[in-house]
Amino acid sequence: MAPLPALITRENFKSFLESFDTVLTDCDGVLWHEDRLIGQAHVTLNTLQALGKKVFFVTNNSTKSRDDYVEKCGRLGFKATKEDILSSAYVLAQYLKQQGFQKKVYVMGMGGIVKELQAEGIQSTGGEPEVYDGGSLSTLMDKMKLDPDVGAVACGFDPYLSYLKVMRAASYLERPGCLFLATNTDERFPVASKGLVYPGTGCVVRCVETVAERPATVMGKPSTKMFSVIQEKNSLDPKRTLMIGDRCNTDILFGKNCGLQTLVVLSGVTTQADLEKWAASDDPEQHALLADYCLTQLDDLLAFLDPKQEQC
Ligand SMILES: C[C@H](OP(=O)(O)O)C(=O)O
Ligand SMILES: [Mg+2]
């Protein structure tokens, strides 16, 4: 057994608010679902910023560049500069920069990865559809040409996942020293409608890992790399930093791996039933998924915050 996350109430709100200086907030499932704002998440963060809290946006979503996220945040009413945004695509490009990587990257993913690599002067190939045309495997082998300059494979969310792309990635990974990087391994996107399930980046990464017979190095949450990149330009006190997320095996685990306070919201993938299952378990790995605090959704805080910052 383990204690459930504490609900934030009028009684404990003041001590909660005074316990942190910085917020790291997840995006999909906390702030928005694709392009749809979740409640008044923007008013909540803007109010916290007006109270002097520093806010960083930390997303495993590699489909967009930081510039794209600055535009999205502005459009949805959030206050964010490029320096406030950490995406898994940005962390991947920083990782290769720190490795002094000079070759080319084969990208299974979208524009976010390509743009962040370009920003660091790193060349890439891939990033577009490659569809199997029904030919024999030997025909495929004859037709497939590999780029001699590729020295790394980067797997991100790729809606054009295909047999040929997995074949290409795994073939590059046969090369001695070829790096194998993944932006994240989230199993699903936190968008559920009409009983449909939206596969996340995890299916792309696990597919290539299976064929390559080797694990990828994961850049996004729960890895602490995202926090290390923030700390290169800031000196945050982990104990006075709050991580807010909707997925416990990435966001909350990331917060715990970095020594942060953690708050889970139930507006994304995690449900109250999940929390009760993990709390009732005897498995320490399930206990590790339990956050310090819980809210149904982020803007529940507005019940205690006055958007005009007149504290109750
Ligand atoms: C859903 C997740 O994005 P995040 O919740 O980290 O913003 C992802 O892109 O797989
Ligand atoms: Mg999320």
Side-chain angles (χ1 to χ4, degrees):
M1 295 284 279
L4 279 167
L7 260 180
I8 298 170
T9 63
R10 192 166 297 285
E11 289 66 39
N12 66 15
F13 176 71
K14 191 169 185 299
S15 62
F16 163 76
L17 185 66
E18 290 169 354
S19 72
F20 60 89
D21 307 315
T22 307
V23 171
L24 271 57
T25 181
D26 174 52
C27 300
D28 288 326
V30 177
L31 308 181
W32 53 64
H33 285 303
E34 292 180 290
D35 269 341
R36 282 176 294 107
L37 201 57
I38 295 175
Q40 295 193 78
H42 58 314
V43 176
T44 314
L45 286 191
N46 295 349
T47 304
L48 289 175
Q49 287 168 317
L51 287 171
K53 310 295 184 185
K54 175 64 184 165
V55 176
F56 289 96
F57 299 73
V58 290
T59 178
N60 271 359
N61 192 314
S62 63
T63 61
K64 293 179 177 60
S65 67
R66 290 185 301 158
D67 286 329
D68 297 333
Y69 275 114
V70 170
E71 186 280 327
K72 179 170 183 176
C73 285
R75 183 160 35 85
L76 294 180
F78 296 95
K79 296 180 171 57
T81 68
K82 193 169 176 176
E83 292 311 307
D84 301 334
I85 292 169
L86 286 294
S87 77
S88 55
Y90 174 65
V91 173
L92 186 146
Q94 295 307 301
Y95 178 86
L96 285 174
K97 176 183 161 188
Q98 285 158 12
Q99 299 281 320
F101 183 76
Q102 297 292 325
K103 296 184 176 179
K104 202 181 277 187
V105 181
Y106 174 62
V107 174
M108 281 183 77
M110 297 173 75
I113 300 174
V114 174
K115 288 179 192 172
E116 294 294 356
L117 290 172
Q118 277 170 349
E120 298 304 336
I122 298 173
Q123 284 194 311
S124 63
T125 178
E128 64 273 330
E130 192 169 8
V131 181
Y132 172 51
D133 61 4
S136 68
L137 281 184
S138 53
T139 315
L140 291 182
M141 301 298 257
D142 293 341
K143 284 201 292 191
M144 183 163 284
K145 300 285 176 273
L146 296 182
D147 185 320
D149 299 330
V150 167
V153 169
C155 288
F157 177 66
D158 189 348
Y160 297 113
L161 177 63
S162 72
Y163 185 83
L164 289 187
K165 295 183 82 168
V166 175
M167 181 177 173
R168 187 178 292 279
S171 302
Y172 281 130
L173 291 166
E174 288 291 283
R175 292 178 175 174
C178 186
L179 299 176
F180 183 12
L181 309 179
T183 58
N184 61 306
T185 55
D186 294 54
E187 292 83 355
R188 300 177 177 191
F189 278 102
V191 181
S193 60
K194 298 193 286 291
L196 296 174
V197 170
Y198 290 66
T201 306
C203 70
V204 178
V205 178
R206 300 305 182 211
C207 193
V208 178
E209 284 182 330
T210 301
V211 180
E213 297 176 342
R214 58 187 271 209
T217 302
V218 181
M219 300 289 114
K221 303 163 285 182
S223 158
T224 59
K225 290 181 182 62
M226 217 170 250
F227 192 62
S228 304
V229 170
I230 292 175
Q231 289 294 62
E232 283 164 15
K233 295 179 183 163
N234 302 274
S235 48
L236 305 183
D237 176 354
K239 289 185 178 38
R240 292 195 56 81
T241 302
L242 176 71
M243 174 67 201
I244 303 174
D246 71 294
R247 176 177 278 281
C248 293
N249 66 346
T250 53
D251 304 324
I252 303 308
L253 219 41
F254 165 78
K256 293 192 170 184
N257 290 343
C258 301
L260 315 183
Q261 295 189 64
T262 53
L263 163 60
V264 62
V265 294
L266 305 181
S267 50
V269 295
T270 302
T271 65
Q272 182 63 30
D274 291 329
L275 299 178
E276 288 165 7
K277 181 180 71 177
W278 299 332
S281 154
D282 293 330
D283 180 355
E285 284 193 3
Q286 296 203 8
H287 297 165
L289 300 174
L290 293 164
D292 300 312
Y293 298 100
C294 178
L295 284 171
T296 304
Q297 62 184 51
L298 185 60
D299 65 3
D300 289 354
L301 289 179
L302 288 177
F304 314 118
L305 281 167
D306 176 344
K308 295 186 292 305
Q309 297 95 46
E310 286 136 30
Q311 279 312 296
C312 41

